[in-house]
Each structure stands twice: as structure tokens, then as C-alpha cells.
Amino acid sequence: MMGGVAPMANKVLQIDYDTERDRLTWDGWEIHCGQSLEVLLPDRLGGGTWRHVSFEYNDAGWYMPDQPRVSPVGLWAREATAD
């Protein structure tokens, strides 16, 4: 603890889809094209790995360019950490 203030923990929340606005949302905020978050991508062993991804939109809907076969809806996400 620094100066009597505990460090803030990253929020880990699920990405949702707002059908009325055709937008992905996270923590009450709309996700926009090019925006980045870290998402927990599931693996075959029932676990997952945190990956830094961005989000894009086309005629087929919302997607992650590095993970085109994975829907972002329902994935656990947190703010991307600075490197």
C-alpha cells in the first residue's frame, strides 16, 4: 500500500451486446472500432489466457481481428495494462 491508499484492482466484466444500438458494451460503456481491451480467451483445457485485442465492425458484425472465429460477446474483459 502506497501512502495509505490501496492500489486499484482491474475490473473484470463480461462484454455484452446492445441490440438496440448494435454496439458492444463493457462496464456500461460502448466499445468503438479500434478500441482495445484484454480478454480472457478460452482454451481447450477449460482455462484461458489473457490477450490484448482490438475490436472492429463490418457487415458481418463485431469481431476481433486477431481472433476472427471467436465472438467477443460474453468474453471476460479488463482494461488493457500499459506495457
Side-chain angles (χ1 to χ4, degrees), residues 44-62:
R44 294 181 184 153
L45 303 174
T49 304
W50 287 103
R51 302 284 179 168
H52 185 127
V53 301
S54 64
F55 302 91
E56 297 296 337
Y57 184 85
N58 64 18
D59 291 338
W62 287 95

Side-chain angles (χ1 to χ4, degrees), residues 20-57:
E20 290 181 18
R21 296 184 303 210
D22 193 23
R23 289 278 186 190
L24 294 175
T25 59
W26 180 83
D27 194 23
W29 296 90
E30 291 182 355
I31 295 173
H32 296 277
C33 288
Q35 184 172 346
S36 297
L37 290 170
E38 289 184 348
V39 298
L40 186 59
L41 293 174
D43 61 25
R44 294 181 184 153
L45 303 174
T49 304
W50 287 103
R51 302 284 179 168
H52 185 127
V53 301
S54 64
F55 302 91
E56 297 296 337
Y57 184 85

Side-chain angles (χ1 to χ4, degrees), residues 1-7:
M1 196 160 46
M2 296 178 58
V5 178

